[in-house]
């Protein structure tokens, strides 16, 4: 394994750990502030939105990349959460969506 691969692997692992720590801290804060139902609903909806957007992005007729995928996922999450009168900031949504992406990528990579 060359130095670039080792560095990339280390950075990927480090990024994953940082995301998990941030999600845990945010989750604890939201549980105190808004309750378990809102946080659990956000986790589920974010996971489903990420999976749906990734599935849509696989369609060769659809042009979705990076920021477009994030914005579409946020839109879908907001729409679904509004049905339950749950509202979160952009930063909170971004954090949970990034965690969902990380979880999905880890599952695909067999981690």
């Amino acid at each position: 394994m060359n130095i670039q691969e080792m560095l990339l692997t280390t950075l990927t692992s480090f990024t994953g750990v940082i995301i998990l720590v941030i999600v845990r801290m945010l989750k604890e804060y939201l549980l105190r502030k808004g309750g378990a139902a809102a946080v659990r609903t956000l986790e589920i909806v974010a996971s489903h939105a990420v999976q749906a957007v990734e599935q849509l992005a696989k369609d060769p007729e659809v042009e979705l990349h990076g920021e477009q995928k994030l914005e579409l996922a946020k839109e879908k999450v907001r729409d679904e959460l509004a049905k339950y009168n749950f509202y979160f900031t952009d930063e909170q949504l971004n954090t949970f969506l990034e965690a969902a992406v990380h979880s999905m990528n880890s599952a695909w990579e067999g981690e």
Side-chain angles (χ1 to χ4, degrees), residues 1-15:
M1 183 182 293
N2 67 33
I3 292 176
Q4 287 180 328
E5 289 175 354
M6 290 173 42
L7 185 59
L8 182 60
T9 301
T10 303
L11 287 175
T12 301
S13 297
F14 183 70
T15 303

Side-chain angles (χ1 to χ4, degrees), residues 32 49 67:
R32 281 183 300 216
E67 195 68 29

Side-chain angles (χ1 to χ4, degrees), residues 24-99:
R24 179 172 287 142
M25 290 171 46
L26 181 60
K27 188 175 176 180
E28 288 172 6
Y29 167 77
L30 291 174
L31 284 171
R32 281 183 300 216
K33 183 180 178 210
V39 172
R40 187 64 190 133
T41 302
L42 174 54
E43 287 178 323
I44 293 168
V45 171
S47 177
H48 290 177
V50 166
Q51 291 173 13
V53 168
E54 287 298 327
Q55 187 67 30
L56 185 61
K58 288 181 182 178
D59 185 341
E61 295 179 15
V62 176
E63 290 287 326
L64 279 178
H65 305 285
E67 195 68 29
Q68 295 170 321
K69 292 195 300 188
L70 175 62
E71 290 304 316
L72 180 58
K74 277 199 293 194
E75 177 186 325
K76 297 303 179 188
V77 168
R78 272 199 193 93
D79 291 348
E80 190 63 27
L81 293 176
K83 295 176 185 177
Y84 303 99
N85 289 320
F86 295 147
Y87 301 95
F88 294 89
T89 66
D90 270 357
E91 186 176 314
Q92 292 166 335
L93 291 177
N94 287 344
T95 301
F96 277 84
L97 287 167
E98 287 296 328

